[in-house]
Amino acid sequence: MNSHILLVDDSVTIRRYARSILEGLKENYRITEREDGAAALGWLSSLIPREFPDLIIIDRNMPKMTGDESVRIIKSDEEWRSIPVLFLTAQAQNSHVGNDEFLLGADAYVCKPFEPAELTAVVRRLIPMNDVESCLLYTSPSPRDATLSPMPSS
């Protein structure tokens, strides 16, 4: 099953740009768009946990409800707090970028304007591996283990 991303930005241009980048990748991400934090939280509220997105990409400055307000609510909710959040921001100043107060509980940020490779790298880092990959990673014996195992005698 393809990973699902909730993309929240009041700019249709930014949403289209990010969608075109993400849908063009080999992962074939499914994208749901919302135009502000209030619409995003309303949509999240309508879901059951297994339907939650694998990542939320959210702009910091939007009408109705900002990304800052939305992230505070998401990260304080028992069911939503484990969803990774990526801030899109045009507000980055060197003195603020990366500190906890700037991130407000978000897991990462990308400054606008952003390059496709930058968005792609951060998204790939934040979205967990699918079940098949994680199962293979944690259950496959390593070649080292195979050399340590005694061979059955004939």
Side-chain angles (χ1 to χ4, degrees), residues 31-87:
I31 311 293
T32 296
E33 295 181 23
R34 292 296 179 265
E35 67 281 351
D36 61 55
L41 293 179
W43 178 78
L44 276 173
S45 297
S46 72
L47 304 175
I48 58 174
R50 67 180 166 84
E51 298 172 329
F52 290 165
D54 299 292
L55 173 65
I56 299 170
I57 300 176
I58 190 166
D59 183 24
R60 289 198 72 178
N61 288 324
M62 295 177 289
K64 295 186 185 175
M65 181 181 286
T66 67
D68 291 2
E69 294 170 296
S70 303
V71 169
R72 281 189 189 105
I73 292 168
I74 290 165
K75 291 301 182 178
S76 67
D77 183 275
E78 187 70 29
E79 291 186 323
W80 298 341
R81 74 172 44 131
S82 64
I83 304 170
V85 175
L86 167 59
F87 260 143

Side-chain angles (χ1 to χ4, degrees), residues 2-124:
N2 298 347
S3 295
H4 188 186
I5 298 173
L6 173 59
L7 177 59
V8 188
D9 199 302
D10 58 313
S11 167
V12 174
T13 304
I14 294 292
R15 289 196 318 260
R16 284 183 184 157
Y17 178 56
R19 177 186 279 271
S20 70
I21 293 167
L22 298 169
E23 286 183 338
L25 299 173
K26 67 178 180 172
E27 290 87 350
N28 196 24
Y29 297 117
R30 284 187 309 125
I31 311 293
T32 296
E33 295 181 23
R34 292 296 179 265
E35 67 281 351
D36 61 55
L41 293 179
W43 178 78
L44 276 173
S45 297
S46 72
L47 304 175
I48 58 174
R50 67 180 166 84
E51 298 172 329
F52 290 165
D54 299 292
L55 173 65
I56 299 170
I57 300 176
I58 190 166
D59 183 24
R60 289 198 72 178
N61 288 324
M62 295 177 289
K64 295 186 185 175
M65 181 181 286
T66 67
D68 291 2
E69 294 170 296
S70 303
V71 169
R72 281 189 189 105
I73 292 168
I74 290 165
K75 291 301 182 178
S76 67
D77 183 275
E78 187 70 29
E79 291 186 323
W80 298 341
R81 74 172 44 131
S82 64
I83 304 170
V85 175
L86 167 59
F87 260 143
L88 294 181
T89 182
Q91 298 177 322
Q93 297 175 357
N94 289 338
S95 61
H96 296 110
V97 172
N99 68 32
D100 290 339
E101 203 170 291
F102 178 81
L103 290 174
L104 302 168
D107 300 281
Y109 69 91
V110 171
C111 296
K112 295 192 248 180
F114 52 86
E115 294 295 322
E118 181 182 15
L119 180 64
T120 299
V122 176
V123 167
R124 285 180 172 156

